[in-house]
Amino acid sequence: MAPAVLIHLPVVDLAASRSFYTALGWTPDPGFSDQHAVTVVAGEDLWVVLLDHLTFRGRADKDVTDTRRCAAAIHSLSVATPEEVDEFVDRAVAAGAPEGRSQDRDFLRSRSFQDPDGHLWEIMWMDPLAGSGDWTAVQQKYPLEGSGHA
């Protein structure tokens, strides 16, 4: 099996969470969903598993954090273009998500939001040149002077 990522999240209301994640454009997988869990396919080799609190607690052997008050993690997803950052987060906000912090640098753009349970998500784009680690080329393409970098 190829490497894959499954993000398990505790949620208060499975139906509301299913509706929210479906509004993002992700697809519920009925083969891995029941009255205690909803699995949504978020991308190739990426699934988000929404679990009611009792089921999550049983799998984690820990108390569930109230992510409406406390941050537990920031789930970052990259997209292919800066425009896709806006399209994705705009869908989340239209589905009721409060928007969080954003970053807009020449070679990096990100925006964030919270799901109905307060789980933090960041959608980001980075110029592939920056991802290469060739900072000399990045600085040539995006000179510091006048670019808003400190």
Side-chain angles (χ1 to χ4, degrees):
M1 179 174 166
V5 175
L6 288 87
I7 299 172
H8 294 78
L9 299 175
V11 301
V12 172
D13 183 335
L14 276 174
S17 293
R18 177 189 175 113
S19 293
F20 175 79
Y21 284 98
T22 301
L24 297 181
W26 296 350
T27 307
D29 183 342
F32 293 97
S33 300
D34 61 23
Q35 69 272 21
H36 302 288
V38 173
T39 299
V40 292
V41 180
E44 187 175 332
D45 299 323
L46 175 61
W47 293 269
V48 177
V49 183
L50 309 166
L51 300 164
D52 65 34
H53 279 214
L54 185 62
T55 303
F56 185 90
R57 192 175 310 114
R59 295 192 63 191
D61 292 326
K62 291 184 174 187
D63 291 337
V64 175
T65 300
D66 181 356
T67 50
R68 290 167 294 176
R69 288 187 329 98
C70 301
I74 299 173
H75 310 288
S76 296
L77 302 176
S78 63
V79 293
T81 68
E83 294 78 21
E84 288 181 63
V85 171
D86 292 331
E87 292 165 5
F88 194 103
V89 176
D90 289 348
R91 281 195 307 271
V93 170
E99 188 165 354
R101 296 179 183 241
S102 64
Q103 249 187 117
D104 198 354
R105 299 183 178 164
D106 297 327
F107 61 90
L108 175 86
R109 175 159 174 67
S110 71
R111 289 173 61 194
S112 61
F113 63 90
Q114 295 179 42
D115 78 358
D117 289 272
H119 299 289
L120 302 171
W121 289 89
E122 175 186 56
I123 309 303
M124 57 140 334
W125 165 84
M126 182 186 298
D127 184 318
L129 183 61
S132 75
D134 184 349
W135 288 105
T136 301
V138 171
Q139 290 172 348
Q140 288 172 346
K141 185 175 181 180
Y142 303 106
L144 293 178
E145 185 177 345
S147 70
H149 298 287

